[in-house]
Amino acid sequence: MCAFFGNRYGNLTKSEETPLDPGEKYLRDFKTTEEELTVLLKDVSKVCRGDGDFRFPSISFIAYIDNETGEVIQDRGMLCWVIPNFSGDYIHEFEDYGICRVLVRRCRPDAVNYAGHPYKNRYHLVKILEKEVAEPRLETIRREYLKPVVIEDEAGTFNLDRRYNFFEGQIDWLGSSQKICLDKDPDGDTAENAFRTLRLFLSDVEKWDRSLRDYAARQLTDLANDWRQEDVPQITEQEFARRIGTPSIHIDERGGFEAEYEDDDMFYGHWIVVYGDENGELKRANIEG
């Protein structure tokens, strides 16, 4: 494995006539100098996008220490690396909320993401130097970070799931206890924007239930009839709206939402999802999953 990257990327200079492959493009985003960090990882849920012959795993961290200066920086960041597409594993293994010492290359300030914005605290992982480090300053941050966070509201009790950055709870939806997820605000352990949308729903659950069902029916009944077998009668919009189940709702950090329904086998087990914005305007309905 090391030989693959050593031979392929030992010299990153290429003629202008030869296009860079995705692995080389990725490495060009980083400085050539190496530095040591001690990082407090988030969890081990890795993101791994693919491009051509390469995959690009990454893992988030919560805080880190610049080992040259000793400065503790409590800010989110990302460790990234590149592997061949045929690799059977991610090469690097971590523990949830582990503290490890790593050798990295810092992202160049002129490198930008897909939206055209500069990356923040993005590092190419060269090597894990020490997997389990006893570092009291980061251990203090970890203890604080992992404290349970609960929001008690008239709508119910909501517990923060750190892995997914949302509060999870149950609400009463026309007499049925229904799961709801409220994305955490980016700047604290709150969910104010999501709660604004939740209160919009709860102000008139009957109206919202009817609006969501009717909207899904208007958007998707024709498609449901395209999917039905020849011996199955035509589905009307009224029947479609009646057949879909009670929604599971996910409200994002801006207040936009997804209401997810079981399809009663109209789409052979796919989910029906209605999307809306923070003002309660319904935007689209899809089948997914």
Side-chain angles (χ1 to χ4, degrees):
M1 188 67 69
C2 293
F4 175 88
F5 291 107
N7 294 337
R8 188 145 192 166
Y9 297 128
N11 182 357
L12 293 182
T13 303
K14 252 192 171 183
S15 66
E16 294 181 1
E17 292 77 15
T18 306
L20 296 173
D21 68 34
E24 291 168 312
K25 287 180 181 177
Y26 160 82
L27 288 173
R28 287 289 180 94
D29 281 348
F30 299 90
K31 297 180 178 181
T32 57
T33 54
E34 297 177 349
E35 55 188 289
E36 281 190 24
L37 303 178
T38 301
V39 296
L40 169 57
L41 299 171
K42 193 167 179 283
D43 54 61
V44 295
S45 298
K46 304 184 192 74
V47 175
C48 189
R49 67 178 181 86
D51 191 350
D53 293 332
F54 302 90
R55 289 190 292 161
F56 303 91
S58 59
I59 186 168
S60 299
F61 59 79
I62 301 163
Y64 65 101
I65 295 174
D66 182 323
N67 287 357
E68 183 177 355
T69 65
E71 181 183 8
V72 179
I73 301 159
Q74 190 168 350
D75 200 1
R76 293 180 182 274
M78 188 79 68
L79 299 178
C80 314
W81 61 101
V82 56
I83 59 176
N85 227 345
F86 54 77
S87 173
D89 57 41
Y90 289 112
I91 300 177
H92 301 299
E93 295 297 331
F94 303 95
E95 297 291 332
D96 282 350
Y97 307 106
I99 298 173
C100 57
R101 189 166 59 91
V102 292
L103 188 67
V104 297
R105 287 167 47 189
R106 187 183 297 265
C107 193
R108 292 159 50 103
D110 57 342
V112 295
N113 60 23
Y114 289 109
H117 303 303
Y119 290 104
K120 182 181 180 182
N121 290 338
R122 183 177 185 241
Y123 294 88
H124 170 62
L125 177 58
V126 178
K127 185 180 181 181
I128 299 176
L129 300 173
E130 193 175 356
K131 268 195 170 183
E132 298 179 13
V133 177
E135 172 42 71
R137 292 171 294 175
L138 293 182
E139 289 168 0
T140 299
I141 293 172
R142 178 171 59 190
R143 283 195 300 272
E144 186 66 27
Y145 183 85
L146 291 177
K147 282 182 180 177
V149 178
V150 180
I151 294 178
E152 297 285 355
D153 186 84
E154 61 183 11
T157 300
F158 301 88
N159 295 280
L160 178 59
D161 187 324
R162 291 282 187 191
R163 182 179 292 269
Y164 300 108
N165 279 332
F166 59 54
F167 289 88
E168 186 174 16
Q170 299 282 329
I171 61 170
D172 177 49
W173 190 272
L174 299 179
S176 173
S177 181
Q178 198 60 34
K179 176 182 174 181
I180 188 164
C181 299
L182 309 171
D183 277 3
K184 184 175 88 67
D185 295 327
D187 55 353
D189 289 344
T190 57
E192 293 181 5
N193 293 333
F195 266 103
R196 275 195 290 272
T197 299
L198 174 58
R199 292 192 176 96
L200 184 64
F201 284 136
L202 296 181
S203 67
D204 194 338
V205 175
E206 187 173 351
K207 182 198 80 171
W208 277 104
D209 183 73
R210 184 172 58 252
S211 296
L212 290 165
R213 290 172 180 273
D214 289 349
Y215 183 85
R218 288 195 302 273
Q219 299 296 313
L220 297 174
T221 298
D222 287 345
L223 184 60
N225 281 311
D226 290 342
W227 280 55
R228 70 186 174 86
Q229 297 181 6
E230 291 183 2
D231 59 344
V232 175
Q234 283 273 342
I235 301 168
T236 66
E237 289 188 8
Q238 292 78 11
E239 182 184 0
F240 186 107
R242 177 183 56 79
R243 287 175 62 177
I244 61 178
T246 306
S248 295
I249 298 173
H250 185 163
I251 305 177
D252 68 29
E253 64 187 38
R254 298 177 304 279
F257 62 89
E258 306 170 14
E260 187 176 87
Y261 295 85
E262 294 184 3
D263 71 335
D264 196 31
D265 286 332
M266 289 184 287
F267 298 106
Y268 301 97
H270 291 277
W271 292 96
I272 294 167
V273 185
V274 177
Y275 292 86
D277 65 18
E278 63 274 18
N279 300 314
E281 183 178 351
L282 303 182
K283 292 296 188 179
R284 66 187 189 279
N286 298 332
I287 59 169
E288 300 178 6

